[in-house]
Amino acid sequence: MSGFKNILITFFLSEFGRAMYFVTVTWLLYQLTNDALYTGVLVGLGFLPGLVLNLFFGVIVDRFNRKILSIVANLLCTGSMALLLFFFVIDKINPWLIIVVHIILQVSGSLFRPAIQAFIAECFEKDNLPKVFSQSSSAAIVGGLLGASVGGLIISFISVSGSMSIVTGSFAIASISLILIKGKVKQKQAITKRTSISKDITDGFLYIKNNKFLLGLFIIMFNGQLVFHTTLGFLSVYTVDYLLQSATIYGLLDATISLGGVLAGLFGTWWWKKGKSKFALYSLFIVLIGLFFVGIAPILSLSFVGIFLIGLGTTWIRVLLQSVQQMATDSEYHGRMASYRMIGNQGSVVISAPLLGWIASNFGANYIFLSLMIPISLCILFAFFQSNQEPFTKITNKIA
């Protein structure tokens, strides 16, 4: 596809802006409140609307032009960042305003992700999807790496408003990059007759019911997302309260999780071929070790290693299993399956974030990571059994 470079640019700039925004806003929120519970509320409430809206976003993605939907979603991100910047400049910022704007950004992302994933899936052959998703993921993670690093430095030496200005510009340019993609892509979805939205939603759930293999993938992926988003959300609290470090170290730790993700994206196809049907199981073990290192002691070098392993393992889980999901899904259900997967991803964060915020406030931020070892350990057992299932081995061995 001739516009693939534009897609890479969009992934890079969108994640650059998102990572810089998250570094800035979580640091700002903790400085305003000095309370980890607000961080838990930010992370949890941010995903709450998506639990309902993702039901409709999946149908919308399967019904309408996926490129246009991706553009609209990115423009909403641009607008939400501009709104936050405006209130900060006029000195009217407060914790609940930050949380509301964060919800808007997360809702926009809930539309953008299934739309862009379905857009990519309809443009490439199934056998090429692991490579395509790995490359686009690498572009996103490199953007996230730079965004986290630059964001930490800017809020340390320049200003929060300077960081938010760059974030707004990044989302705006990413939107333009999508708009500039030329040519028509042949739509592969099969929803051509007029049916009710409720029927399309029901059909999506029936599709999952008849393809329980997909449900198994969702279980592993939402555990990976739970660890990833929890680590990002509480990293500022962990840095200040447990490691007793500055915003610069926070930015570097955030960059380290992105660095792990970059390498995971670059070596995604290699890891798939090396691990075959066991690559998800091995990735979960890497995440478990990372959580142990981060939670066991306030040693900075150990924390950096643990954060790196978390970034490495969770990215392999998210990116490669996402490829398996797209390959195992009929094209007319790509949007709904991506959105339904996100319901599980976001639901796990909504439920756990306030609880983990309470744990951090009462026992220490390191106990967040030690607590996450429990669901990951259970997921390792599940992944072991799934790795021997025929649908999983058929897809993974085909690429390997």
Side-chain angles (χ1 to χ4, degrees), residues 130-144:
K131 181 178 180 180
V132 173
F133 275 113
S134 292
Q135 288 180 352
S136 59
S137 176
S138 294
I141 296 167
V142 169

Side-chain angles (χ1 to χ4, degrees), residues 98-114:
I98 292 174
I99 291 171
V100 170
V101 172
H102 183 68
I103 290 173
I104 297 173
L105 181 72
Q106 293 297 79
V107 168
S108 303
S110 293
L111 175 59
F112 176 76
R113 293 185 187 95

Side-chain angles (χ1 to χ4, degrees), residues 62-64 187-195 200 332 336:
D62 284 335
R63 282 176 174 239
F64 299 103
Q187 296 287 343
K188 296 181 180 179
Q189 65 260 40
I191 299 180
T192 56
K193 59 182 180 180
R194 287 293 178 181
T195 56
D200 287 342
E332 63 266 29
R336 276 168 286 182

Side-chain angles (χ1 to χ4, degrees), residues 1-14 67 70-71 74-75 78 112 116 119 169-182:
M1 178 184 172
S2 59
F4 184 58
K5 289 184 179 179
N6 295 75
I7 291 176
L8 294 180
I9 292 171
T10 299
F11 269 84
F12 174 83
L13 290 176
S14 294
K67 173 187 170 183
S70 300
I71 294 170
N74 230 26
L75 288 174
T78 306
F112 176 76
I116 196 70
F119 181 50
S170 297
F171 279 120
I173 297 173
S175 302
I176 294 172
S177 180
L178 273 176
I179 293 171
L180 292 177
I181 295 177
K182 298 180 180 180

